[in-house]
Amino acid sequence: MTISAPGKLMLLGEHAVVYGYPCIVTAISQRLEVSIAEADDMPKDRRFVDAAIGAWGDGKDMKLSAKCAFSGCYGFGSSSAVTVATLKLLRPDATNRQLFDAAYTIVLDIQGVGSGFDVAAAVFGGTLYYIKNKAIEPLAVKDIPLVVGYTGIKSNTVDLIKMVAKKREEYPEKVERICKAIGKIVEEARMKIIEGDWERVGRLMDFNQEYLRDLGVSSEKLEALITAAKAAGAYGAKLSGAGGGDCMIALASPDKRAGVEEAITRAGGEVVHVTPNAEGVRVEL
Ligand code: PMV
């Protein structure tokens, strides 16, 4: 049996989601597959798979193989996808809610921090409005005109979450104000995404990016790609995920898409083709 789970991209609301504010995440067409194998063929970082087997493997000794359609560098959520896919392989009949709870517990045990938005995307798929411990709500969206640019720099999510936490201790009011403002942006974006008003969603991404910059999680390379995308006519652009590196995202109308992709490439980024709003974890065969 083979199980696959999608990768994810944060559209809006990163970091603030750690402090109880909403975010919007989309599952992407690039998937990670886990199957039972003759010989072990696992990712170098076995912690998530081993924890999943420890939780639901009933003491069985099993050999697994994992294949990932995306590089672990992009920040597309390979850890949460491999955890969710392995759990589903062990208990194909588990409900999505059971999968989510077990996978989020494992990710928290290993990483110590995280909102669980990536686990939700891997389990439920689609495009989700997500609030930690409160809401996992699918949004009815039509095609999101998303362009993705990789900076070439791998970022460390846990370090960035800790950096923001430290800032929040030092400047509680400032960081709270920023998170609250991001939360408001996400609330408006939730409606505009359903309406397919990409021009407005693009503006909201720009506003979100300003707050992320204030939090100190953007980087020179991210800014270069974002500026390039916007100069080429994108509706808006921002970093996606923890920041520091990984990917930026932009929204572009069909007539601007090629120009935006070219601008990102010229600014030193690598365009990654993904289809958003992909299906959640599933049995392949
Ligand atoms: O680096 P990523 O793509 O896993 O995104 C991290 C997003 C944060 O909001 C910073 C952390 C989290 O778990 O929500």
Side-chain angles (χ1 to χ4, degrees):
M1 185 164 48
T2 298
I3 306 288
S4 77
K8 58 84 184 113
L9 272 170
M10 180 71 98
L11 297 181
L12 296 120
E14 47 273 270
H15 288 289
V17 67
V18 175
Y19 300 103
Y21 293 94
C23 74
I24 297 173
V25 56
T26 194
I28 57 170
S29 50
Q30 271 87 341
R31 307 181 74 85
L32 181 144
E33 282 186 359
V34 176
S35 41
I36 297 177
E38 299 279 309
D40 248 355
D41 181 14
M42 293 311 294
K44 260 188 269 134
D45 184 354
R46 289 194 53 112
R47 290 176 302 164
F48 295 89
V49 176
D50 288 341
I53 296 174
W56 281 9
D58 303 324
K60 273 182 272 176
D61 180 27
M62 28 194 345
K63 296 191 171 49
L64 299 180
S65 92
K67 265 197 318 213
C68 192
F70 51 88
S71 152
C73 299
Y74 291 152
F76 285 171
S78 53
S79 305
S80 41
V82 82
T83 310
V84 167
T86 306
L87 288 171
K88 176 92 177 163
L89 187 72
L90 297 165
R91 285 195 200 163
D93 295 333
T95 63
N96 278 349
R97 187 72 228 184
Q98 290 167 330
L99 276 175
F100 174 81
D101 289 342
Y104 187 28
T105 303
I106 288 171
V107 170
L108 270 187
D109 276 353
I110 294 173
Q111 289 186 349
V113 285
S115 68
F117 82 104
D118 43 359
V119 178
V123 172
F124 296 93
T127 300
L128 304 171
Y129 169 89
Y130 179 86
I131 306 176
K132 189 174 68 169
N133 299 328
K134 243 195 202 143
I136 303 176
E137 184 189 305
L139 302 182
V141 299
K142 286 179 235 63
D143 306 334
I144 307 172
L146 196 66
V147 179
V148 182
Y150 176 53
T151 56
I153 298 155
K154 174 87 202 98
S155 78
N156 185 325
T157 301
V158 174
D159 284 354
L160 281 148
I161 295 176
K162 287 186 178 156
M163 191 196 90
V164 173
K166 188 159 169 273
K167 199 165 225 172
R168 192 165 173 266
E169 267 172 37
E170 282 170 24
Y171 309 101
E173 276 162 31
K174 179 182 154 105
V175 172
E176 190 51 34
R177 190 160 26 83
I178 291 175
C179 289
K180 208 168 168 179
I182 292 175
K184 271 182 86 172
I185 289 170
V186 171
E187 291 299 344
E188 187 184 340
R190 169 204 207 174
M191 291 182 301
K192 296 299 168 186
I193 284 174
I194 294 169
E195 287 170 21
D197 183 349
W198 303 118
E199 196 172 340
R200 183 64 189 164
V201 179
R203 291 282 290 156
L204 293 168
M205 282 186 173
D206 289 346
F207 296 149
N208 194 163
Q209 176 60 21
E210 281 178 34
Y211 288 113
L212 289 165
R213 206 176 288 140
D214 275 1
L215 276 182
V217 296
S218 195
S219 74
E220 234 173 83
K221 189 72 182 277
L222 281 165
E223 292 298 329
L225 305 192
I226 290 166
T227 306
K230 285 181 25 177
Y235 290 132
K238 62 183 278 296
L239 65 84
S240 172
D246 284 356
C247 289
M248 52 73 71
I249 53 173
L251 292 178
S253 59
D255 58 315
K256 293 274 168 37
R257 184 176 193 96
V260 169
E261 291 187 350
E262 203 191 308
I264 289 172
T265 310
R266 242 186 292 119
E270 173 195 332
V271 173
V272 188
H273 294 280
V274 307
T275 308
N277 211 29
E279 203 184 325
V281 67
R282 68 180 181 221
V283 179
E284 291 293 339
L285 36 106

